[in-house]
Amino acid sequence: MVPAPPDHFEGKSVPLTVHQLNELLLICSLVLLIAVAAVRISSRSGLPSLLVYLGIGVAIGQDGIGNVVFDNAELTQVIGYAALVVILAEGGLGTKWKEIRPALPAAIVLSLVGVAVSVGVTAAGAHYLVGLEWRQALLIGAVVSSTDAAAVFSVLRKVPLPTRVTGVLEAESGFNDAPVVILVVAFSTVGPVDSWYVLVGKIALELAIGAGIGLAVGWLGAYGLRHVALPASGLYPIAVMAIAVVAYAAGAMAHGSGFLAVYLAAMVLGNAKLPHWPATRGFADGLGWIAQIGMFVLLGLLVTPHELVNDFWPAVLVGLVLTMVARPLEVFVSLLPFRIPWREQALMSWAGLRGAVPIILATIPMVSGIEGSDRVFNIVFVLVVVYTLVQGPTLPWLARTLELGEGDRAATDLGIESAPLEKLRGHLLSFSIPAASRMHGVEVSELRLPPGASVTLVVRDEKSFVPMPSTVLRRGDDLLVVATDPVRDAAEARLRAVARGGKLAGWLGS
């Protein structure tokens, strides 16, 4: 006889029968489908998807329609860390080095000096305005000092920004997780907190170890994938994600910053022009979505809605200090040496969205048993939800008001897929000409591809043909380009240049 499933789940380990496992898989699949469908709601409303997923977790949790009681903060922390590794890997794979390189110094300063300013100002506000003890105030200040790239760019995807702004925001969100995690762990340690100079030394050492391991693992992984032909194209995405996870594990085991290691390793892999890259990118993007959905739903389950009432206004007050004082001040102080225009600084100040990382980090003091940690979690949860509701929908409007959009530049780029021809020592480059691309109207001969590269096939209106040098390319065409190994990168660079600048690209300096 199959025992009936329990009325609620308290986070304890219980044996599952086959029938119960099937029920659990069905529930998880339905939640995942609902969450995927909710992406359309978030894209239309301009709200980051995290709010939708958190709402699903709250709805099926305690005080909700599902009344599922879940209070295992330790399990949430472990799953959250695993999800963050996947999310950081996906973010690193999508980071373009040519865009982030000019913004790297500013992003590093913002991730270090900016975090210190944000922690100090926010903690002072939490202590003097809300009346929290200094340890609790410092915990809140540290937890909410980490920004979330997924939340920022989910609401800015329809408003292309200048390269410097996107570079700084993206690099900051990838870098500032590491020092924030170190601070939160230090403040969550039972007993006296280390002196500030000890914390600075620990942060510097762990960041250095994490950066070194991440760059080394990423370079070795990229070298191996370029020189070893795997038997199936589907193995490349798995190998790339495995390498990124290895970077995190190696960095953490060496007492360095595993989060920085995985982000840098993924960034190296993402800019290494690996075989079957679009498939790898799509695979990583899908894993990133699954990680976000699972993590946010679990966080929604962990929270107890009726306990948030007493901490609502303290959270609003702390968030006001963070958003209107701490964040603008950290941006101004950190970017002062770089002479960045005030309009870009204003957008960066308002674009400091908080997402998954602060809520996950708020579970660390709960696991450590720090007094008042439940209240810290509740304040952070309310703060993230309320100010994401305020900042998310207004970010595109602010970008347009400050005249920081770049029109259709993003729509002119090419999504070039590369497949290696190992025995022939060449590459197949395939892509579609976007509607706004300046490659429309260009003749094949006017592409001026380097010797060793040639357009071999064009698909137009579902019909394929071998083009002549005088064939005029049109928007919507699918092209197949064959290039030898030595000119593969030059051929891709030339195609992208023509897509942005037209037939005179290069001659006009584009």
Side-chain angles (χ1 to χ4, degrees):
M1 181 176 179
V2 179
D7 294 331
H8 63 273
F9 177 67
E10 299 180 350
K12 299 178 181 179
S13 177
V14 294
L16 289 178
T17 65
V18 174
H19 177 69
Q20 291 173 331
L21 179 61
N22 291 337
E23 289 183 342
L24 180 61
L25 290 175
L26 176 61
I27 294 173
C28 292
S29 300
L30 290 175
V31 171
L32 184 60
L33 288 174
I34 294 172
V36 171
V39 175
R40 187 171 182 84
I41 299 175
S42 65
S43 63
R44 286 190 171 186
S45 63
L47 295 176
S49 54
L50 72 92
L51 293 181
V52 181
Y53 305 144
L54 283 174
I56 293 174
V58 172
I60 64 179
Q62 189 175 4
D63 297 343
I65 57 177
N67 197 29
V68 176
V69 179
F70 178 81
D71 56 2
N72 195 329
E74 187 173 2
L75 176 62
T76 303
Q77 180 183 328
V78 172
I79 295 178
Y81 269 42
L84 285 177
V85 170
V86 175
I87 293 171
L88 283 173
E90 189 273 332
L93 291 174
T95 300
K96 297 181 179 179
W97 174 246
K98 63 180 180 181
E99 293 183 359
I100 202 176
R101 180 174 55 186
L104 202 57
I108 292 175
V109 175
L110 190 59
S111 302
L112 297 176
V113 177
V115 164
V117 174
S118 179
V119 171
V121 174
T122 306
H127 176 71
Y128 292 110
L129 298 180
V130 179
L132 296 178
E133 297 180 356
W134 271 115
R135 182 186 288 269
Q136 298 173 2
L138 287 171
L139 276 171
I140 290 180
V143 164
V144 299
S145 294
S146 179
T147 57
D148 188 279
V152 172
F153 290 104
S154 66
V155 296
L156 288 178
R157 59 186 175 272
K158 295 182 180 179
V159 187
L161 296 175
T163 302
R164 177 167 55 186
V165 175
T166 57
V168 170
L169 290 175
E170 190 168 358
E172 179 201 9
S173 62
F175 292 158
N176 64 10
D177 291 344
V180 167
V181 169
I182 297 171
L183 288 176
V184 174
V185 171
F187 296 149
S188 301
T189 303
V190 177
V193 179
D194 293 332
S195 302
W196 67 268
Y197 53 85
V198 176
L199 290 176
V200 170
K202 287 183 177 179
I203 291 174
L205 179 61
E206 292 192 22
L207 291 181
I209 295 174
I213 291 178
L215 294 174
V217 172
W219 185 86
L220 290 173
Y223 180 84
L225 290 176
R226 282 198 304 262
H227 290 81
V228 177
L230 298 178
S233 60
L235 293 176
Y236 282 91
I238 298 175
V240 168
M241 293 303 296
I243 292 170
V245 174
V246 166
Y248 169 81
M253 292 179 65
H255 301 288
S257 173
F259 291 122
L260 182 60
V262 66
Y263 181 77
L264 290 179
M267 186 170 65
V268 172
L269 292 168
N271 290 271
K273 301 188 184 302
L274 300 176
H276 305 288
W277 179 244
T280 300
R281 190 71 184 91
F283 178 79
D285 189 52
L287 281 184
W289 277 108
I290 292 176
Q292 288 187 60
I293 292 171
M295 177 175 57
F296 290 136
V297 171
L298 193 61
L299 289 172
L301 280 172
L302 185 62
V303 72
T304 305
H306 71 263
E307 295 180 356
L308 301 178
V309 177
N310 294 332
D311 294 317
F312 179 82
W313 289 112
V316 171
L317 192 57
V318 173
L320 191 64
V321 173
L322 171 68
T323 306
M324 305 305 296
V325 182
R327 176 64 180 180
L329 185 60
E330 72 168 295
V331 170
F332 174 77
V333 172
S334 302
L335 302 183
L336 190 61
F338 302 99
R339 301 181 182 274
I340 294 180
W342 70 268
R343 291 187 302 167
E344 297 183 11
Q345 291 193 34
L347 184 62
M348 292 180 196
S349 299
W350 194 245
L353 287 179
R354 271 65 189 174
V357 179
I359 305 178
I360 288 293
L361 294 182
T363 64
I364 295 179
M366 296 176 67
V367 174
S368 300
I370 299 300
E371 183 180 356
S373 57
D374 290 341
R375 191 182 185 194
V376 170
F377 180 85
N378 292 337
I379 290 176
V380 171
F381 188 92
V382 174
L383 187 154
V384 169
V385 172
V386 170
Y387 283 90
T388 301
L389 280 170
V390 173
Q391 293 174 269
T394 58
L395 267 175
W397 170 83
L398 181 61
R400 290 189 294 268
T401 302
L402 296 174
E403 299 179 351
L404 291 176
E406 287 198 344
D408 295 328
R409 179 188 174 216
T412 64
D413 202 4
L414 298 178
I416 298 179
E417 182 171 356
S418 175
L421 303 172
E422 298 293 341
K423 294 183 179 180
L424 301 179
R425 297 182 180 179
H427 287 264
L428 287 177
L429 307 178
S430 59
F431 62 91
S432 297
I433 300 179
S437 175
R438 294 187 179 180
M439 193 177 286
H440 174 75
V442 175
E443 295 182 4
V444 171
S445 61
E446 293 173 332
L447 292 175
R448 295 190 288 119
L449 296 175
S454 176
V455 180
T456 58
L457 193 69
V458 175
V459 180
R460 179 179 298 165
D461 298 329
E462 299 183 355
K463 296 181 180 179
S464 59
F465 60 91
V466 177
M468 302 292 291
S470 59
T471 299
V472 178
L473 302 176
R474 300 177 184 175
R475 59 178 61 95
D477 285 353
D478 294 312
L479 273 66
L480 185 65
V481 177
V482 177
T484 59
D485 277 343
V487 301
R488 180 242 185 260
D489 292 344
E492 180 175 343
R494 176 61 191 166
L495 290 170
R496 294 189 186 278
V498 175
R500 293 193 183 104
K503 66 180 69 176
L504 298 181
W507 286 333
L508 297 180
S510 57

